[in-house]
Each structure stands twice: as structure tokens, then as C-alpha cells.
Amino acid sequence: MAAQIPQEVIEKIKQVSPGTKLRKALDQVIEAQLGALIVFINEDEMKAYPQVFQAGFKIDAPFSPERLYELSKMDGAIVVDEHVSRILAANVHLVPDPSIPTSETGTRHRTAERIAKQLKKMVIAISKRRNVVTLYYKEYKHVFEDMKFVLTKVSQTLNTLERFREIFDRDLELLNYKEIEGNVTLDFICGLLLRSAEIHNITSEIQLQIIELGIEGRLASLRLREVLRDLDELTLLLIMDYHKKDVTEEDARKLMEEMWGLEYKHLTFAKFLGYDVSSTHKASETFVVPRGYRLLRTAIHIPMNVSQKVIDSYRNLGNLIKTDVNHLQEIDGIGKKRARAILKTIKSIKKRRG
């Protein structure tokens, strides 16, 4: 699973993504096969580091892609304010603290990394030889890959995610029948949760790439949104339904966060749900009974607080199936209309299974 990237770093990446004035300028620099070193710092802060920003000359002009491109033809660094609204200086000689460690080898990139660490600011370096944009911010480094490569990679990953989601939804539909028939196995539930974790974790790996695509990633963003539709809520309800212990919604959310980091093995997920089974065969022979949260919330849209009262009264879906309208409507918040809707939905699932 990809490491969690701080939101402040993501915001910096957005500043450099396609569709921004800054990215337009960087693309022009790359197209001309020029190198560049750009520091983003406000004027007052720059003045506080005379030992770092040496020589050069003041520009103090509104930012424009064309202006930055022309200035990149000169030696030295360009200084831009943090809002990317003004170009403050050009031809600046940067002198970072040489004791700051750096993993870079080229002079431009070593300077960029040290400045970013020393001043806690965003610095961009463009390699003249490789035509690659590298963003440094504090201790973080992000290399912008070729746009066509990123688009292809994101599209392929989304194709996989869409197939996974299709399987997940199909198994949820099958689960409806299994729950009504009282034929749900632990192995089946573990498979559903495992698939949910796979979708979630693969998503985490491409979200940054979609952000990096900027306006070029709008279609990919829409496709990803559809893949993730209700995934967290459905996963939460599965945990509340099938965890061996009764868990509150708040506890289930904490468990769900833990679940994303589990190893993709059925037995691992079985233990996560509180079941101590020794083999996948044993898990496939262990029958589990849902409490009914998922059916009440998603199929009938009963509010969670009312669903909780139903489950407190009936304990599990097996008992709920056997009740009638008169008993069900006595629960606070249900009434005759909701009682009929619940039993009608259960009957409809049975009929579709036919």
C-alpha cells in the first residue's frame, strides 16, 4: 500500500498539475530543453535569508508563463511568491546549508533539495538533460512522470478497479439471497471484505497520479468516484453485521481503518472479524448470521438510529425475517409503513431467488 502523503504536499502537487499557469510555464521550459530552478517564497521571508539568496536582480512583476519561460534562459534560480502571482527575482545564486543531507547527485537538484529542507518551502527543479520536473517540499520529493505514461497507467488501473467493483457488487447481490436463506459462510464474508480492501488500497495508489494529471485527469476522477460509490458505507455495514462482537458504528469505523492494512488472506480477515479458524476449509464450513444493518440501511433506507432499535429488538436478521407487521411496527421509529417496507423487501428478495 502506498505511503500516506500529507495534504500539504498534495496541495503543492496540484499547483504544478496541468491546467495551471505554472504548469504551462514548466511545459514551455521543457519543450525548449532548458533547465530551471524555481523557489517559491514570499518576499518578506526571502529577505530574512540574505545568506541563501545571493546576487541576482529584482523582478517584482506579475507572474505569467511567458515571463517565467524567458527568465529560465538565464543562469541562476528564479524566485516566485508562494501564491504564484508574482515573480520576485531572477538570476539568483542560491547558497543552501551544505550540511543538510541530500540524496541527489546533480548540482541543480542537490541545491533544490537542500533549499526545500532548509526553508520548508516548495522548490522545483527541471532537468535540462532528462526534461523531468521534480518538486521538493520540506522533506518530500515528487517526480512528475511523462503525462502519456501516467494517463495509460491510470486508465489500466481503473479498468482493474472497475472489474473488482463489478465482482464486489455481484457478490453483494448474492449475499442478499444467502442472508435470507440463512446460508452465509465466514469464508464468503471474508472474500467480500478482502475485495473491498483491495479496491480501497489500489485507489490510494492512483489518487495522487490523478491529482498529478490535473485537468487531464477529470474523466479518470469521475470513473474513480463511481468505483468508490458507497464502498466505505457498505464495508462498515458488513463489519457491523458480521463481527463476532456487537460493535457500534464508531468502533466499526476504527476497525475499518485497521482493515485496510491487513494481508490479503481469508484467514487474516476471519481473525479480524473475531473468529479463530485454523484453515480456509474451516472458514467455508462456518456459518454466520448477519445482524441486519446492511439490509435495513441499503435496501430499505432505514436510518441508523432506527436500524439499531430494530436490531436491539430482534438481535439478527434470522429473527427479523420471522416477524410480522404488527410486532415490527411497535418498535419506536418504525411504524406500519416502514414495517411493511421491511417485510416487502425480504419477500421480494426471496421471490427473485425463486
Side-chain angles (χ1 to χ4, degrees), residues 24-36 68-69 72 126:
K24 182 180 178 181
L26 300 182
D27 285 342
Q28 290 177 354
V29 172
I30 291 172
E31 188 176 343
Q33 295 186 315
L34 299 170
L68 189 139
Y69 164 68
S72 69
I126 300 178

Side-chain angles (χ1 to χ4, degrees), residues 176-191:
N176 288 338
Y177 304 134
K178 285 179 171 289
E179 287 182 339
I180 299 300
E181 295 168 354
N183 190 30
V184 183
T185 62
L186 177 60
D187 180 65
F188 188 82
I189 297 303
C190 290

Side-chain angles (χ1 to χ4, degrees), residues 19 23 61 100 109 196 210 215 229 280 306 328 335:
R23 182 53 179 261
I100 296 174
H109 289 73
S196 172
I210 291 176
I215 59 172
R229 178 179 44 84
T280 52
V306 180
L328 191 53

Side-chain angles (χ1 to χ4, degrees), residues 133-289:
V133 176
T134 305
L135 182 154
Y136 301 90
Y137 178 66
K138 296 183 179 179
E139 302 293 325
Y140 296 92
K141 171 185 174 181
H142 181 78
V143 179
F144 288 82
E145 297 181 283
D146 177 75
M147 188 65 60
K148 291 181 181 178
F149 173 78
V150 176
L151 278 168
T152 300
K153 186 177 179 181
V154 166
S155 180
Q156 290 174 344
T157 305
L158 281 169
N159 289 339
T160 300
L161 283 171
E162 285 166 348
R163 288 197 299 271
F164 281 7
R165 181 59 199 253
E166 186 179 340
I167 294 169
F168 180 78
D169 289 341
R170 186 184 65 205
D171 285 347
L172 277 180
E173 183 67 22
L174 180 57
L175 181 60
N176 288 338
Y177 304 134
K178 285 179 171 289
E179 287 182 339
I180 299 300
E181 295 168 354
N183 190 30
V184 183
T185 62
L186 177 60
D187 180 65
F188 188 82
I189 297 303
C190 290
L192 269 168
L193 291 176
L194 191 153
R195 182 69 68 192
S196 172
E198 285 180 324
I199 294 171
H200 177 275
N201 293 338
I202 293 173
T203 294
S204 298
E205 294 171 4
I206 69 162
Q207 279 178 326
L208 184 63
Q209 292 170 329
I210 291 176
I211 290 170
E212 183 180 322
L213 289 172
I215 59 172
E216 300 295 331
R218 285 180 294 191
L219 178 59
S221 182
L222 290 173
R223 288 177 65 188
L224 183 61
R225 190 184 308 167
E226 186 61 24
V227 166
L228 296 177
R229 178 179 44 84
D230 299 333
L231 182 70
D232 281 4
E233 182 185 1
L234 290 167
T235 303
L236 180 80
L237 296 171
L238 285 170
I239 293 171
M240 294 180 72
D241 265 347
Y242 289 101
H243 198 283
K244 196 169 185 179
K245 296 180 179 177
D246 288 341
V247 293
T248 64
E249 184 178 3
E250 182 181 353
D251 289 338
R253 290 193 185 280
K254 293 177 183 177
L255 286 167
M256 185 169 65
E257 289 302 316
E258 294 175 16
M259 192 190 81
W260 303 140
L262 294 180
E263 186 179 9
Y264 297 149
K265 290 184 178 180
H266 281 64
L267 286 182
T268 304
F269 279 80
K271 290 178 181 177
F272 164 76
L273 289 173
Y275 291 88
D276 187 16
V277 290
S278 56
S279 66
T280 52
H281 178 70
K282 185 67 182 279
S284 67
E285 292 185 334
T286 302
F287 288 90
V288 288
V289 180

Side-chain angles (χ1 to χ4, degrees), residues 239-349:
I239 293 171
M240 294 180 72
D241 265 347
Y242 289 101
H243 198 283
K244 196 169 185 179
K245 296 180 179 177
D246 288 341
V247 293
T248 64
E249 184 178 3
E250 182 181 353
D251 289 338
R253 290 193 185 280
K254 293 177 183 177
L255 286 167
M256 185 169 65
E257 289 302 316
E258 294 175 16
M259 192 190 81
W260 303 140
L262 294 180
E263 186 179 9
Y264 297 149
K265 290 184 178 180
H266 281 64
L267 286 182
T268 304
F269 279 80
K271 290 178 181 177
F272 164 76
L273 289 173
Y275 291 88
D276 187 16
V277 290
S278 56
S279 66
T280 52
H281 178 70
K282 185 67 182 279
S284 67
E285 292 185 334
T286 302
F287 288 90
V288 288
V289 180
R291 293 180 176 86
Y293 287 105
R294 187 182 65 88
L295 182 72
L296 292 170
R297 289 288 296 121
T298 62
I300 315 165
H301 308 294
I302 304 294
M304 180 59 83
N305 63 326
V306 180
S307 295
Q308 187 63 62
K309 293 175 183 177
V310 174
I311 290 161
D312 287 344
S313 298
Y314 288 94
R315 306 309 303 166
N316 60 58
L317 187 59
N319 294 330
L320 180 60
I321 290 170
K322 299 172 186 176
T323 193
D324 55 40
V325 171
N326 292 331
H327 286 92
L328 191 53
Q329 69 179 352
E330 292 177 0
I331 297 174
D332 184 30
I334 291 295
K336 184 176 289 187
K337 185 176 180 180
R338 280 178 172 169
R340 285 176 174 171
I342 291 170
L343 297 180
K344 183 180 179 181
T345 299
I346 292 171
K347 185 178 179 180
S348 175
I349 294 172

